[in-house]
Amino acid sequence: MNTTADYLPYLSQGVIASVALGGASFVAASMLGLVLAIVRDHSSTFVKLLISLYISLFRALPELLTVLLTYYGSIVITNSLGLPDLNPFAAALLAFGVQIGSYACQIFSDAYRAVPRGLIEAAHAVGMSEFKINVRIAIPLMLRLAAPSLGSLLMVTIKLTAIASAIGVTELTRRGQIVAGATHDPLTVFGYAAVIYLAVSAVLTVLQRRLETAKRL
């Protein structure tokens, strides 16, 4: 009979799926949040209200509920249209991208408000278009100001990928459930999984601190 240690390579492979899903979700969420933050600052009151409702709604919903609604809702839609079902990984990516995007939008909005208004006004004064101001001045400064919060958001997103096991994504937690069923030793299995998650978080923390140090130089 195989011991829990024999399944360590199988468990470790789950990190690839966790990091891939978390990283892709973070990129999608960051892009969505950045665009909405800029649009929010330059739009009408009605559009600002819609974006604020989006942020409030998805920050209030539990992540597990969002994943389940996205996955089973996509099945209903694809079946009604005669299209292939969305696979669990893609459904989780969509759910996390939209929900984490609400947090990213708030982070970027706060960063945008912290950009010195004098720089924006000076750019307008020399005749720069709104697009060039955003690309050359606002967005680089926003990314710089938001970097610490975005680093924390990335770590949270990767940890949230464990929720995707509820719809069958074979990330680390799901693989732990499979191994626990085979070995009947869930405590040891999930103990190993916790150590792996801690190792990933430690690596990300070191990278985040190095980026923050480089940013200050």
Side-chain angles (χ1 to χ4, degrees), residues 70-81:
T70 302
Y71 179 60
Y72 292 112
S74 69
I75 292 176
V76 172
I77 293 172
T78 53
N79 286 346
S80 65
L81 297 176

Side-chain angles (χ1 to χ4, degrees), residues 161-189:
T161 58
I163 294 173
S165 63
I167 58 173
V169 178
T170 53
E171 44 69 67
L172 179 56
T173 303
R174 176 58 181 162
R175 287 174 181 251
Q177 293 171 337
I178 294 171
V179 173
T183 62
H184 304 289
D185 187 13
L187 180 61
T188 303
V189 172

Side-chain angles (χ1 to χ4, degrees), residues 8 15 172 187-202:
L8 275 177
V15 176
L172 179 56
L187 180 61
T188 303
V189 172
F190 291 115
Y192 280 133
V195 170
I196 294 172
Y197 270 121
L198 288 172
V200 172
S201 295

Side-chain angles (χ1 to χ4, degrees), residues 103-185:
Y103 293 93
C105 181
Q106 191 60 55
I107 290 172
F108 282 121
S109 292
D110 293 340
Y112 192 83
R113 285 192 289 270
V115 173
R117 294 295 98 183
L119 291 176
I120 305 297
E121 292 170 0
H124 280 298
V126 298
M128 290 181 67
S129 66
E130 202 68 48
F131 177 79
K132 287 185 177 180
I133 291 173
N134 285 325
V135 171
R136 296 183 180 181
I137 299 174
I139 292 177
L141 288 175
M142 287 168 66
L143 292 173
R144 186 182 183 91
L145 292 167
S149 297
L150 290 176
S152 299
L153 188 64
L154 172 59
M155 286 191 284
V156 169
T157 304
I158 289 178
K159 288 187 290 185
L160 282 175
T161 58
I163 294 173
S165 63
I167 58 173
V169 178
T170 53
E171 44 69 67
L172 179 56
T173 303
R174 176 58 181 162
R175 287 174 181 251
Q177 293 171 337
I178 294 171
V179 173
T183 62
H184 304 289
D185 187 13

Side-chain angles (χ1 to χ4, degrees), residues 3-21:
T3 63
T4 301
D6 295 326
Y7 288 97
L8 275 177
Y10 177 76
L11 277 177
S12 299
Q13 290 171 8
V15 176
I16 298 174
S18 295
V19 173
L21 177 57

Side-chain angles (χ1 to χ4, degrees), residues 20-36:
L21 177 57
S25 299
F26 174 76
V27 170
S30 297
M31 293 176 63
L32 176 61
L34 179 60
V35 170
L36 290 180

